[in-house]
Amino acid sequence: MSADTDTGTGAGAGAGASRRSLSRTLTRALPVTPAVILLLLFLAGPIAYCAYIAFTDLQLTGQAESSFIGFENFRTAFKDEAFLNAVWLTLVFTVLSSLIGQNTLGLALASLMQRASKPVRTMVGGIVITAWVLPEVVAGFLLYAFFRREGTLNAILDWLRLPSQNWLFTLPILAVSFANVWRGTAFSMLVYSAALNEIPKEITEAAEVDGAGGWRRMWHITLPMIRRSIGTNLMLNTLQTLSVFGLIWVMTRGGPGNRSQTLPLFMYEQAFQKSMIGYGTAVALLLLVVGSLFSVVYVRLLRTEV
């Protein structure tokens, strides 16, 4: 009888502990519940619906009902030379303007501003951040005026008696890449400025005393110590660059022809100009996959111990 009583008491205590643990879990989860619901409604829900549309032949006009067509949109995309051209230009645009341009220039500016006087830091920081806070459309018009045939760049080249050209016609992808660098470098500069300020001065001073030059200190001390900041900056810049639409649309509209038509512009053309919503959504889903692959690579780098 005593054993049964002890068993019952132990079972009751265990059940009580489980209820208390569940209660604590629910209490801790309660504050984040509204955020989770909003994410499900406005992020996961639309993504799931778009994923479904990508497997249909939905059109804006000329079709009463849509039908499920499986992977046909994706097969069409990989056979479409315009899509493959858009993929290539997206990679070129991302590498030039994000991985090389914004990242390198942001690190260079952050390093130089550490050694500059306060007035110089204030002036340079203000100029760079002003370009960043400008709306994308406004920045696009400014860079269009800079690169157009009668624009500021050619006026400077003519004044220097150097050859000029219509940059938006001859080198459109380079022009929009430069525009994205001009607009987005401020973010990298701020990230790297914060990271460089966290490096103990004793380490750099000791390396300088040991005879290490500027490049050696940068390669062997600075870059390894800010590797996590580099990974974070590259991930955020890459994802932002993959989705750039307004800047390119204002400057070139993907032209001339399709020589600056990245995936967001190709997706817009297929979905809203040619009314093929299903096909355009499939392209958007592929762009989401590309961004996810970049994110996975960067997250794995961030998890690596310094």
Side-chain angles (χ1 to χ4, degrees):
M1 183 69 179
S2 177
D4 293 341
T5 302
D6 292 341
T7 302
T9 302
S18 297
R19 286 194 295 269
R20 287 193 298 271
S21 177
L22 178 61
S23 177
R24 284 196 300 269
T25 302
L26 292 176
T27 302
R28 292 173 182 173
L30 187 60
V32 301
T33 300
V36 173
I37 294 174
L38 289 175
L39 285 174
L40 290 175
L41 287 175
F42 297 106
L43 184 62
I47 290 177
Y49 180 63
C50 288
Y52 166 74
I53 291 178
F55 293 92
T56 69
D57 60 352
L58 180 64
Q59 297 183 18
L60 284 178
T61 58
Q63 184 187 48
E65 295 181 357
S66 62
S67 57
F68 186 83
I69 58 174
F71 289 93
E72 186 60 33
N73 285 326
F74 299 95
R75 285 192 288 266
T76 301
F78 285 107
K79 294 178 182 178
D80 189 348
E81 292 185 1
F83 169 78
L84 298 178
N85 176 72
V87 172
W88 167 248
L89 290 177
T90 301
L91 293 175
V92 171
F93 178 67
T94 302
V95 171
L96 289 179
S97 65
S98 176
L99 302 185
I100 297 177
Q102 294 180 17
N103 185 61
T104 305
L105 184 58
L107 179 58
L109 286 173
S111 301
L112 292 174
M113 287 178 66
Q114 275 201 319
R115 301 172 177 82
S117 61
K118 186 175 181 181
V120 173
R121 289 199 303 269
T122 303
M123 181 184 66
V124 174
I127 293 173
V128 176
I129 292 175
T130 298
W132 185 38
V133 300
L134 283 176
E136 194 175 44
V137 173
V138 176
F141 277 115
L142 288 175
L143 271 300
Y144 171 77
F146 181 78
F147 282 111
R148 67 193 296 263
R149 185 67 184 89
E150 297 82 13
T152 307
L153 178 58
N154 281 334
I156 295 172
L157 293 176
D158 290 339
W159 181 73
L160 295 173
R161 300 189 182 281
L162 295 174
S164 60
Q165 57 184 310
N166 188 349
W167 302 96
L168 296 176
F169 181 82
T170 57
L171 298 169
I173 193 64
L174 293 181
V176 296
S177 296
F178 177 88
N180 195 49
V181 172
W182 176 82
R183 183 174 182 268
T185 297
F187 179 79
S188 296
M189 183 188 72
L190 294 175
V191 170
Y192 289 136
S193 293
L196 292 174
N197 288 332
E198 294 297 320
I199 298 178
K201 293 183 179 179
E202 295 80 7
I203 297 178
T204 55
E205 289 174 356
E208 190 173 356
V209 170
D210 290 339
W215 287 109
R216 290 187 65 185
R217 293 199 304 271
M218 174 66 72
W219 185 256
H220 294 287
I221 297 176
T222 303
L223 293 181
M225 295 192 70
I226 66 171
R227 187 169 63 180
R228 291 183 179 276
S229 296
I230 293 174
T232 302
N233 180 67
L234 285 174
M235 179 175 66
L236 296 176
N237 267 338
T238 301
L239 295 179
Q240 186 275 331
T241 302
L242 285 173
S243 63
V244 169
F245 174 83
L247 189 70
I248 303 176
W249 180 260
V250 170
M251 291 182 65
T252 65
R253 296 203 173 189
N258 58 359
R259 290 167 57 195
S260 61
Q261 187 182 61
T262 57
L263 279 174
L265 276 76
F266 179 79
M267 173 189 66
Y268 175 83
E269 178 188 65
Q270 301 302 315
F272 298 106
Q273 293 184 333
K274 296 184 178 180
S275 300
M276 296 189 295
I277 292 292
Y279 183 43
T281 307
V283 174
L285 196 60
L286 291 172
L287 181 60
L288 180 63
V289 171
V290 172
S292 300
L293 292 176
F294 274 108
S295 298
V296 169
V297 172
Y298 291 136
V299 167
R300 289 182 65 88
L301 291 176
L302 288 175
R303 287 179 178 176
T304 304
E305 292 295 330
V306 176

